[in-house]
Amino acid sequence: MQCLSCGNIWKIGYDEFDTAKDRCPKCGSLKGVKPKIVFFYESAPLYKDMMKYFDLLSNPKSILVVIGTMGNVVPVADMIEGTPAKKILCNKEPSKFLPEDLFDKVYYESIESTITKIEDDISSWWES
Ligand SMILES: [Zn+2]
């Protein structure tokens, strides 16, 4: 669990937590106590760090590899559109949120079967 008032994080294991009466053990807050998970429409804590790297896509020598996302939670398509960097998509299946024409290479396979192809793509781009 996490307390949004004081930032305290604690484990409850498999015990039931009653949000109507259980309080933060550190500050006693009843309001703003929630499971320490990211719900839909919440920003994941490390998204802010990840977003910094999208600035690198303005460099044509940069390479972005997108793996295992539908592109609807993090709007990858919006962030890469029009950038000169090389871009690779590796997903199990197509997603309407990730238009193929935004990528230089698209693989609809498992990452295990694709990783050597991605390595080859990156090597050939770096050598050119
Ligand atoms: Zn607290």
Side-chain angles (χ1 to χ4, degrees):
M1 300 298 289
Q2 74 181 117
C3 174
L4 301 177
S5 297
C6 73
N8 185 31
I9 295 168
W10 70 99
K11 291 182 179 182
I12 62 168
Y14 293 102
D15 293 344
E16 200 170 302
F17 190 87
D18 185 345
T19 55
K21 66 178 176 118
D22 291 336
R23 297 174 179 273
C24 169
K26 186 176 176 188
C27 75
S29 175
L30 179 63
K31 195 174 167 187
V33 173
K34 66 181 276 291
K36 181 150 177 34
I37 60 171
V38 178
F39 288 114
F40 276 106
Y41 307 109
E42 287 184 335
S43 185
L46 294 179
Y47 281 4
K48 191 172 57 181
D49 294 337
M50 180 180 69
M51 299 304 178
K52 291 186 291 194
Y53 292 102
F54 279 90
D55 291 343
L56 298 173
L57 299 177
S58 61
N59 181 341
K61 291 282 186 190
S62 292
I63 298 171
L64 173 73
V65 182
V66 177
I67 302 170
T69 180
M70 296 297 285
N72 56 343
V73 175
V74 175
V76 174
D78 294 344
M79 297 155 82
I80 67 173
E81 188 169 18
T83 60
K86 295 287 191 189
K87 293 161 287 255
I88 300 170
L89 173 65
C90 176
N91 265 344
K92 287 268 194 169
E93 58 192 48
S95 165
K96 67 178 180 180
F97 301 104
L98 294 170
E100 291 179 14
D101 62 351
L102 295 179
F103 295 88
D104 299 278
K105 295 277 184 152
V106 175
Y107 299 102
Y108 294 125
E109 306 171 41
S110 71
I111 188 60
E112 293 86 0
S113 66
T114 314
I115 192 66
T116 53
K117 297 173 194 172
I118 293 173
E119 286 175 337
D120 291 346
D121 293 337
I122 291 171
S123 294
S124 71
W125 288 333
W126 275 346
E127 289 163 8
S128 63

